[in-house]
Amino acid sequence: MCGIVGYAGDKNVESVLIVGLIGLEYRGYDSAGIAVLDKGEIQVRKQKGKIKDLENYLKEHPIRGNVGIGHTRWATHGEPNQINAHPHTDSKSTVAVVHNGIIENYAELRQELKQKGFVFHSMTDTEVLPNLLAESRKRGLTNKEAFLDLFNRVHGKWAIAVVFDNEPDRVYFAQDGAPLLLGRGKEEYYLASDISPLTRNCREVYYINSKEWGHFTKTECKIFGFDGSEKEFEFKTQDIKFEDVDKGGYPHFMIKEIHEQPGIFRRIIQSRIGENGEIEFPESTISREMMSKVNRIIIQAAGTSYYAGMLGKHYLENFAKIQTDTETSSEFRYRNPVVEGDTLIVGISQSGETADTLASLLEAKAKFIKVLSLVNNVNSTIARESDSFIRTDAGPEIGVASTKAFTAQVMNLLLFSLYVARLKWIVSDEELKTLLEEIRLLPGKMERILSQAHILENWAADFTKTKDFVFLGRTYNHPVALEGALKLKEVSYIHASGYAGGEFKHGPIALITNEVPVVCIATKSEIYSKMLSNIQEIKARNGIIISIVTEGDRDAKELSDYCFEVPECPEILSPILNVLPLQLLAYYSAVARGCPPDQPRNLAKSVTVE
């Protein structure tokens, strides 16, 4: 993986592809390259590093043409270098391929092709693809026939874009489990692995389905199934604007997206809560009758979405009284879980393309278990493969480290829990009314926290040399501690660990020295005194105490070296407020240490491979 672009039209394709690749930078990558059809020849330019390195190389070695493909690579097979970068060609440069995903049987295909005299230069699985296509053409197959033959020979989840030297006006494409979409302009077509590169030039898009392939020139586009039959398809107007994927005056996407959260919450509240106080999920097609009969829910997700799922477990068990388990997708899919007909599988994914989460949903469907997904992209593979979905409505998230998607997921899980509780006649009108009034106050309270971002910025300057952090939280704020630690690790490269406060004495306390800051989430709760005990234990061992407390708190503040106050709210809503200063701490720590917060090393925004 990581990003694919393609173009056919009248524009200088080099510029179009570079702009498209820049639109994919946020996904994370280690090299970039393009292949352009120029007078019947395939010209390839690629470089290790960032797109600016590729641009500099193109200044010295320019290429011209109107048709081509491009790629940003996140290394899976072979180290990041120029040789392993995409595009890859056969030895005679008659075919060029860019590829996302993994070819699981590439080793045996590579050996088979070597025995037939084909030469390999890279360590990638991708390089088997142009050689397979070249071998098919050598046997007398047409380009279209070679494509169909390819589908029968490769195994895995992947997406590709291909150009052939003997069709200089055409781009081929196919996908089998990795995202790919088309954009239509005026006498031009675009190809990309997500919507971002298309927002400047395309109002109409088509999301290519799994096991679909096709080709386009500047004036026509055709789609086929893997059996070769032509398929009807329809472009639809996309509602994402270029401004949605622009920094909007902020220095980085991450800080922009942190500050967008109050507005997102207002939008979610307005769309989910009716004038009569009823909670609505109109996009969900799971009937009220079926939902009311669900007796067990399994939430499965990865990374930040998994921590949101942990909060979802609290909410569903507290309000809807449904037994709920939270599992990491990568483990859930392999352990043959016990599920029954009254079980609902809930998958959570920011991108809607997370490979482990998708595989787990498909495993559940194979056992005839209903699947509901929470996704930010309703056109994603996970949304399309689920029985039903809930739109988290966070808007495009460009920063690799998820911020606004996390809080949007948490809010939708909370409202979904209340929705199910109402179906089961568990939550009273008065209880619901009181909680909804508190929910409506959240955006204003979030803005008050974000207005004090300078406090966290000042703190971050004190931790530029810090090597380790510990985060502690209890009950609803245990997942927040885990998320805070993850954010700090992701963007500042400081080692951080999150723990439940009650587990602190069972091992992690051994880490505490006068060089280890401990972030204690100690807002008012039923067990506030227990969290206060944790702080006193850290104090006794000379640890550096950073506390997140409720406004007006004196006890925890007096024990702390650093203290950030958040507005008072019910404990059940406190994770939504408490995570904001942790996001800010991570962001400003990254900036203070000179780390790129939007594109952390080794990370990709959408993890489409296992």
Side-chain angles (χ1 to χ4, degrees):
M1 59 185 198
C2 190
I4 289 173
V5 293
Y7 176 77
D10 291 324
K11 296 173 182 173
N12 177 9
V13 71
E14 177 188 306
S15 299
V16 174
L17 295 177
I18 290 296
V19 170
L21 293 178
I22 289 171
L24 293 170
E25 273 195 301
Y26 76 96
R27 294 166 66 96
Y29 67 105
D30 50 57
S31 59
I34 63 174
V36 173
L37 285 160
D38 183 14
K39 298 177 182 177
E41 292 186 1
I42 296 174
Q43 301 286 329
V44 174
R45 303 287 188 269
K46 54 187 182 179
Q47 281 289 297
K48 176 188 174 182
K50 297 301 181 183
I51 292 170
K52 64 182 179 182
D53 299 309
L54 176 61
E55 287 184 279
N56 291 333
Y57 185 70
L58 283 164
K59 289 176 183 177
E60 298 176 7
H61 305 88
I63 45 179
R64 293 289 179 266
N66 305 112
V67 177
I69 55 178
H71 193 265
T72 51
R73 177 179 186 252
W74 186 85
T76 56
H77 296 71
E79 65 182 74
N81 59 32
Q82 187 179 31
I83 294 173
N84 290 329
H86 296 209
H88 289 284
T89 68
D90 65 305
S91 58
K92 295 183 179 180
S93 293
T94 65
V95 184
V97 176
V98 294
H99 159 232
N100 283 351
I102 288 180
I103 306 302
E104 294 175 355
N105 60 332
Y106 84 97
E108 59 192 79
L109 291 171
R110 185 183 180 109
Q111 188 60 34
E112 175 188 328
L113 289 162
K114 278 185 173 181
Q115 291 173 356
K116 293 180 178 180
F118 286 84
V119 177
F120 287 80
H121 303 282
S122 77
M123 298 299 294
T124 68
D125 57 334
T126 304
E127 199 178 0
V128 302
L129 299 174
N131 284 297
L132 280 172
L133 291 167
E135 188 264 346
S136 294
R137 296 209 311 172
K138 189 176 180 180
R139 290 189 281 116
L141 300 185
T142 65
N143 293 341
K144 296 174 185 178
E145 290 168 341
F147 241 58
L148 291 170
D149 187 54
L150 182 76
F151 306 149
N152 294 322
R153 299 175 72 178
V154 298
H155 303 154
K157 297 298 181 184
W158 48 265
I160 58 173
V162 180
V163 289
F164 294 97
D165 64 346
N166 65 344
E167 290 193 78
D169 63 341
R170 195 176 303 272
V171 174
Y172 282 75
F173 56 87
Q175 80 105 315
D176 190 6
L180 209 56
L181 62 154
L182 290 162
R184 182 167 63 183
K186 186 176 181 180
E187 290 200 352
E188 58 184 1
Y189 283 92
Y190 296 79
L191 182 73
S193 47
D194 79 21
I195 194 69
S196 300
L198 306 182
T199 54
R200 284 178 180 268
N201 301 297
C202 303
R203 292 295 294 148
E204 295 182 309
V205 298
Y206 173 72
Y207 286 82
I208 301 163
N209 294 305
S210 185
K211 297 190 182 299
E212 285 186 344
W213 70 280
H215 48 76
F216 60 84
T217 64
K218 70 175 185 178
T219 56
E220 68 165 4
C221 179
K222 293 192 174 185
I223 302 283
F224 305 88
F226 275 19
D227 60 358
S229 60
E230 187 167 355
K231 303 182 74 170
E232 296 290 330
F233 69 102
E234 181 182 355
F235 283 91
K236 294 184 178 179
T237 302
Q238 58 101 354
D239 56 3
I240 296 176
K241 302 180 181 65
F242 174 68
E243 307 87 78
D244 296 329
V245 292
D246 181 68
K247 290 178 185 174
Y250 288 90
H252 301 100
F253 282 110
M254 184 176 179
I255 190 65
K256 176 199 176 197
E257 288 159 3
I258 289 171
H259 280 274
E260 285 176 342
Q261 290 172 104
I264 290 166
F265 267 56
R266 289 191 176 97
R267 184 168 67 230
I268 293 172
I269 290 166
Q270 184 177 10
S271 64
R272 295 286 182 222
I273 303 173
E275 294 182 3
N276 58 358
E278 288 298 311
I279 298 169
E280 302 167 348
F281 291 92
E283 71 272 32
S284 176
T285 57
I286 295 182
S287 69
R288 289 171 170 262
E289 180 183 6
M290 186 209 150
M291 199 64 240
S292 66
K293 294 178 180 177
V294 170
N295 287 318
R296 183 187 178 201
I297 292 175
I298 300 175
I299 299 173
Q300 54 92 18
T304 287
S305 295
Y306 172 68
Y307 300 142
M310 291 176 68
L311 281 164
K313 169 183 168 68
H314 278 289
Y315 294 149
L316 284 160
E317 292 188 340
N318 182 75
F319 291 117
K321 310 303 181 189
I322 297 177
Q323 177 193 344
T324 304
D325 301 310
T326 309
E327 308 241 12
T328 54
S329 300
S330 56
E331 293 298 317
F332 176 77
R333 66 171 297 196
Y334 289 114
R335 68 173 190 80
N336 193 25
V338 177
V339 291
E340 298 175 343
D342 59 357
T343 300
L344 177 69
I345 302 294
V346 175
I348 310 175
S349 171
Q350 176 275 138
S351 67
E353 304 293 348
T354 310
D356 294 320
T357 306
L358 174 60
S360 294
L361 294 182
L362 295 175
E363 185 74 17
K365 287 184 71 177
K367 295 183 177 182
F368 304 102
I369 302 300
K370 286 289 184 182
V371 169
L372 172 71
S373 61
L374 270 73
V375 293
N376 202 29
N377 179 3
V378 299
N379 295 299
S380 63
T381 306
I382 286 177
R384 287 181 286 167
E385 291 289 347
S386 300
D387 295 300
S388 184
F389 65 81
I390 288 174
R391 183 187 65 250
T392 53
D393 214 12
E397 187 177 67
I398 306 301
V400 167
S402 182
T403 52
K404 64 177 183 175
F406 172 75
T407 51
Q409 287 169 351
V410 172
M411 174 52 69
N412 279 283
L413 285 165
L414 171 60
L415 293 175
F416 178 69
S417 303
L418 293 169
Y419 167 78
V420 177
R422 292 290 284 173
L423 292 181
K424 291 177 173 283
W425 300 93
I426 296 173
V427 176
S428 68
D429 291 343
E430 191 58 36
E431 185 181 1
L432 180 64
K433 180 182 177 183
T434 301
L435 188 54
L436 291 181
E437 287 174 354
E438 289 288 348
I439 288 172
R440 290 188 177 96
L441 296 174
L442 284 175
K445 292 178 180 180
M446 296 167 86
E447 287 171 339
R448 284 167 58 188
I449 292 171
L450 294 173
S451 71
Q452 302 177 75
H454 61 279
I455 296 174
L456 284 304
E457 185 176 11
N458 293 335
W459 291 2
D462 295 343
F463 304 121
T464 56
K465 303 297 183 183
T466 301
K467 295 182 178 179
D468 299 283
F469 261 77
V470 172
F471 288 71
L472 298 180
R474 287 178 179 263
T475 61
Y476 291 100
N477 284 295
H478 171 216
V480 176
L482 297 172
E483 172 62 8
L486 177 62
K487 281 290 136 323
L488 192 68
K489 278 183 285 199
E490 284 181 313
V491 299
S492 75
Y493 313 149
I494 298 173
H495 176 261
S497 300
Y499 301 98
E503 288 294 298
F504 186 54
K505 292 187 288 292
H506 297 276
I509 198 169
L511 298 171
I512 304 307
T513 70
N514 60 4
E515 296 181 344
V516 179
V518 184
V519 178
C520 300
I521 305 170
T523 46
K524 293 295 183 182
S525 71
E526 291 184 359
I527 56 171
Y528 168 77
S529 61
K530 302 292 185 182
M531 198 68 227
L532 203 61
S533 296
N534 281 136
I535 293 175
Q536 290 167 332
E537 291 160 2
I538 299 161
K539 189 77 171 177
R541 289 157 180 83
N542 298 315
I544 303 167
I545 299 167
I546 302 172
S547 62
I548 309 298
V549 304
T550 303
E551 286 177 341
D553 183 294
R554 292 288 174 266
D555 295 335
K557 188 173 185 177
E558 288 176 1
L559 294 168
S560 303
D561 300 286
Y562 303 82
C563 184
F564 189 93
E565 297 185 18
V566 300
E568 186 172 359
C569 72
E571 181 186 2
I572 204 161
L573 301 180
S574 64
I576 292 165
L577 299 183
N578 293 340
V579 76
L580 299 184
L582 306 189
Q583 292 173 349
L584 291 167
L585 178 63
Y587 169 75
Y588 286 118
S589 295
V591 172
R593 289 164 60 90
C595 304
D598 288 342
Q599 298 168 31
R601 69 187 180 204
N602 303 331
L603 295 181
K605 182 64 175 171
S606 181
V607 183
T608 57
V609 298
E610 279 197 76

